[in-house]
Amino acid sequence: MNWLKHKYKVAKAVAIVTYKEWSAYRTHSMVSILVGPVYFVIQYFIWKAVFGGNDEVISETVINGMTFEQMLRYYGAATLINYLIMDFADWNLQMLIRTGKFLTFSLRPIHHRFFAFSQKLGHRVLGFLFEFVPCFIILHFIFGVNMVPERIGYTIISVALAFLMNFYVNYCLGMTAFYFVQSSGIRQVYQAIAGICSGTLIPLVFFPDIVQKLLFFMPFQYVTYIPICVYSGEYSLGGISMEIPQIIGIQAIAVVIIFIFSEILYRNAIKKYISVGG
């Protein structure tokens, strides 16, 4: 119990400091508020053309099981969820390793991954207040898209798991800097693949069935696609339909697996780092 209290105090302190630090750059968040709605508008016109362009045709058209209204809700949810789970742990970690500053963290009585996670908490609280809330208001009240989750409780759980999944995956990417002089290329390749395979750019149900089945066993859908489906209240991929509690359970298992993998990778990476003299 004392251990948990100590962890909570440390996480809270780091999160508050990070929040205050980034609060000095609120204009950055203000600018990013526009990014989500602009992205949404672009998707609106693209999919309006795909669905036929004419309002009468659009109302009767269904593509891959999705109506135009559902498509707008999908991209609205993708925009909002991205504000909540955004992460740059990989970039931070590789910069610390490249500059040698990671050595100072290895001497501190705190696991760097926990420190980075606490930083993300503070940063995303700021994102919730200055990005998520304004964008929700814009999409829901100005664009008229119903952005209220079908099942709020499950949505919160799924987004929290996506938050963890995104962090642990990115942290693993950052740890490749222990093995390579320059790991930014790996980061860029992953981001390009993730953008397509996570469901951010296009719903995964638009891929061929064999690709959908493959994506089911990869980490990408657990970051974006599943939270969006939970947000909308229905999950289906590769011919597999599941109840919301079931897919959240699978998402939780995936988070545990990536956590264990990150811990194994971290321990091996630290041994390598120390063996070469930091």
Side-chain angles (χ1 to χ4, degrees), residues 35 62 75 97 141 155 172 186 215 228 231 239 249 259 277:
V35 175
V62 178
Y75 282 104
I97 296 170
F141 294 102
T155 299
C172 287
I186 297 175
L215 290 173
I228 293 175
Y231 201 107
F259 169 77

Side-chain angles (χ1 to χ4, degrees), residues 227-238:
I228 293 175
C229 290
V230 174
Y231 201 107
S232 302
E234 184 178 0
Y235 174 85
S236 178
L237 183 66

Side-chain angles (χ1 to χ4, degrees), residues 22-238:
W22 280 91
S23 293
Y25 303 97
R26 286 190 298 272
T27 52
H28 179 273
S29 297
M30 296 299 183
V31 171
S32 67
I33 292 173
L34 300 176
V35 175
V38 168
Y39 170 77
F40 179 83
V41 169
I42 293 172
Q43 294 298 334
Y44 172 85
F45 285 111
I46 290 175
W47 288 103
K48 185 174 183 179
V50 172
F51 273 82
N54 184 284
D55 290 340
E56 186 175 326
V57 174
I58 287 176
S59 63
E60 299 176 354
T61 303
V62 178
I63 301 178
N64 280 29
M66 298 181 71
T67 64
F68 182 62
E69 183 179 348
Q70 289 174 323
M71 191 66 71
L72 294 182
R73 184 174 166 84
Y74 179 95
Y75 282 104
T79 300
L80 295 177
I81 290 170
N82 183 63
Y83 281 135
L84 296 176
I85 68 172
M86 190 191 79
D87 180 69
F88 45 82
D90 52 342
W91 186 86
N92 278 350
L93 181 56
Q94 74 160 341
M95 288 301 296
L96 289 173
I97 296 170
R98 285 181 58 195
T99 58
K101 293 181 180 179
F102 182 81
L103 182 61
T104 62
F105 283 93
S106 64
L107 299 175
R108 297 178 185 179
I110 180 175
H111 197 301
H112 178 265
R113 187 180 59 214
F114 182 72
F115 177 83
F117 177 75
S118 302
Q119 282 187 310
K120 180 177 179 177
L121 287 174
H123 190 262
R124 285 304 85 206
V125 168
L126 186 70
F128 174 80
L129 296 174
F130 291 96
E131 295 173 331
F132 176 89
V133 173
C135 190
F136 178 90
I137 293 173
I138 292 172
L139 295 179
H140 189 79
F141 294 102
I142 297 180
F143 287 111
V145 181
N146 179 16
M147 294 313 306
V148 178
E150 290 295 324
R151 303 168 80 171
I152 296 177
Y154 282 130
T155 299
I156 292 173
I157 295 173
S158 184
V159 171
L161 290 171
F163 180 94
L164 293 171
M165 190 73 179
N166 197 33
F167 171 76
Y168 288 128
V169 169
N170 282 343
Y171 198 84
C172 287
L173 288 174
M175 284 191 284
T176 58
F178 283 112
Y179 302 92
F180 304 99
V181 176
Q182 176 60 266
S183 62
S184 59
I186 297 175
R187 179 173 181 262
Q188 291 171 358
V189 170
Y190 172 80
Q191 288 179 333
I193 296 175
I196 298 172
C197 298
S198 66
T200 301
L201 297 179
I202 184 171
L204 298 186
V205 291
F206 280 76
F207 287 99
D209 285 344
I210 185 65
V211 177
Q212 291 185 42
K213 287 181 172 63
L214 178 63
L215 290 173
F216 184 86
F217 298 98
M218 300 180 75
F220 305 110
Q221 71 152 340
Y222 301 105
V223 175
T224 304
Y225 183 70
I226 288 179
I228 293 175
C229 290
V230 174
Y231 201 107
S232 302
E234 184 178 0
Y235 174 85
S236 178
L237 183 66

